[in-house]
Amino acid sequence: MTAKKVLYTAKVHTTGARDGGTSRSDDGRLDILHSLPGSKGSGTNPEQLFAAGWSACFDGALGLAARALKVELPADVAIDAEVDLCLEGDAYFLRARLNVSLPGLERHVALALIERAHQTCPYSKAVRGNIDVVLNLA
């Protein structure tokens, strides 16, 4: 896919791996230590970072969907993202759930917003057909 306009390029330098590695963005806003998932280490892991990025992006996509459908989003929209690191045989893979809370909206309206957001969110597009994703209206 060719981009007509690049809006932003994230630049992050990583050394090491999941257990004690570090990542730092070129602007210094991100400076983290990595830890193995489920360990008592003081860092984070790629699955948590992916869940945070995707849920934040999805929230923005919900706003775009609401404007397009002329619906007012509730002030207390929330997304609980769950990203599983799985193993089958010797192959690792991801699967995910986005649990979206849209309090006060009628169910059919909320579901329409979630589906539209899933079609436009860049993270949703990136994983489509690559990992199992479940969207839940919480």
Side-chain angles (χ1 to χ4, degrees):
M1 181 178 288
T2 303
K4 291 186 179 188
K5 182 178 180 182
V6 175
L7 300 176
Y8 174 74
T9 300
K11 296 179 183 179
V12 175
H13 180 76
T14 299
T15 57
R18 289 175 172 268
D19 192 12
T22 62
S23 293
R24 181 178 170 86
S25 62
D26 65 334
D27 62 6
R29 292 181 179 184
L30 177 74
D31 190 358
I32 59 168
L33 176 66
H34 297 261
S35 295
L36 292 171
S39 74
K40 295 189 187 308
S42 60
T44 187
N45 61 66
E47 292 72 30
Q48 289 172 327
L49 293 169
F50 186 70
W54 190 3
S55 57
C57 186
F58 199 87
D59 194 321
L62 283 170
L64 293 173
R67 284 192 289 284
L69 298 177
K70 298 182 181 1
V71 173
E72 187 171 335
L73 279 181
D76 48 354
V77 171
I79 302 164
D80 293 313
E82 301 173 352
V83 176
D84 300 324
L85 174 62
C86 304
L87 178 65
E88 185 173 323
D90 61 354
Y92 292 94
F93 64 96
L94 300 175
R95 66 180 181 202
R97 289 162 305 288
L98 295 181
N99 303 302
V100 182
S101 176
L102 296 165
L105 292 182
E106 293 182 33
R107 182 171 178 77
H108 74 280
V109 172
L111 291 172
L113 289 172
I114 291 169
E115 182 55 36
R116 187 170 184 125
H118 190 53
Q119 295 306 311
T120 60
C121 173
Y123 279 74
S124 292
K125 287 180 181 182
V127 302
R128 189 167 292 120
N130 296 311
I131 70 171
D132 288 334
V133 175
V134 176
L135 302 172
N136 294 310
L137 176 59

